[in-house]
């Protein structure tokens, strides 16, 4: 006896996750981006580049902390230290984790823009 697989339907009136639509846009946009293999920290002296990125991550982290303390946050000071932090990583897995976190924050920022637009 064969059973037919059950399909789960979304209850009527339940909104789709806005991140799903944003990620579909990202997937489409990704197709237009050239794929070049390259290191995260490039240039003639990648070690110096990573050191620079680490300084910038700390500097922007301080900006983020100060803004949060004065209740005046912004996506710039939220995104930039995460980006610089990922670029400063020597361990590929930690760099990847940082980039995934950055991607999640970028999606949240786009959601915020969409919410503001109404």
């Amino acid at each position: 006896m064969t059973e037919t697989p059950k399909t789960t339907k979304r209850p009527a009136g339940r909104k789709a996750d806005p991140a799903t639509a944003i990620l579909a846009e990202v997937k489409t946009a990704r197709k237009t981006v050239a794929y070049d293999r390259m290191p995260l920290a490039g240039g003639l002296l990648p070690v110096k580049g990573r050191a620079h990125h680490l300084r910038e991550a700390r500097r922007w982290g301080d900006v983020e902390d100060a803004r949060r303390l004065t209740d005046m946050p912004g996506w710039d000071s939220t995104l930039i230290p995460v980006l610089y932090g990922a670029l400063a990583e020597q361990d590929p897995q930690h760099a990847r984790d940082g980039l995934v976190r950055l991607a999640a924050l970028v999606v949240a920022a786009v959601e915020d823009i969409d919410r503001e637009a109404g």
Side-chain angles (χ1 to χ4, degrees), residues 61-78:
D62 291 344
V63 170
E64 171 73 350
D65 292 343
R67 286 183 178 180
R68 294 261 177 210
L69 287 173
T70 59
D71 202 26
M72 295 174 21
W75 281 110
D76 56 348
S77 64
T78 299

Side-chain angles (χ1 to χ4, degrees), residues 11-88:
R14 184 173 170 203
K15 287 186 174 184
D17 180 6
T20 302
I22 294 167
L23 291 173
E25 284 183 71
V26 169
K27 187 175 181 180
T28 299
R30 171 61 186 93
K31 292 175 184 175
T32 68
V33 176
Y35 177 73
D36 294 327
R37 292 186 59 99
M38 63 183 92
L40 280 178
L44 292 175
L45 301 169
V47 172
K48 284 183 83 172
R50 280 194 297 273
H52 166 77
H53 298 323
L54 183 57
R55 285 190 305 275
E56 287 298 304
R58 289 177 179 157
R59 185 173 74 83
W60 275 98
D62 291 344
V63 170
E64 171 73 350
D65 292 343
R67 286 183 178 180
R68 294 261 177 210
L69 287 173
T70 59
D71 202 26
M72 295 174 21
W75 281 110
D76 56 348
S77 64
T78 299
L79 297 169
I80 293 172
V82 177
L83 169 61
Y84 276 121
L87 296 175

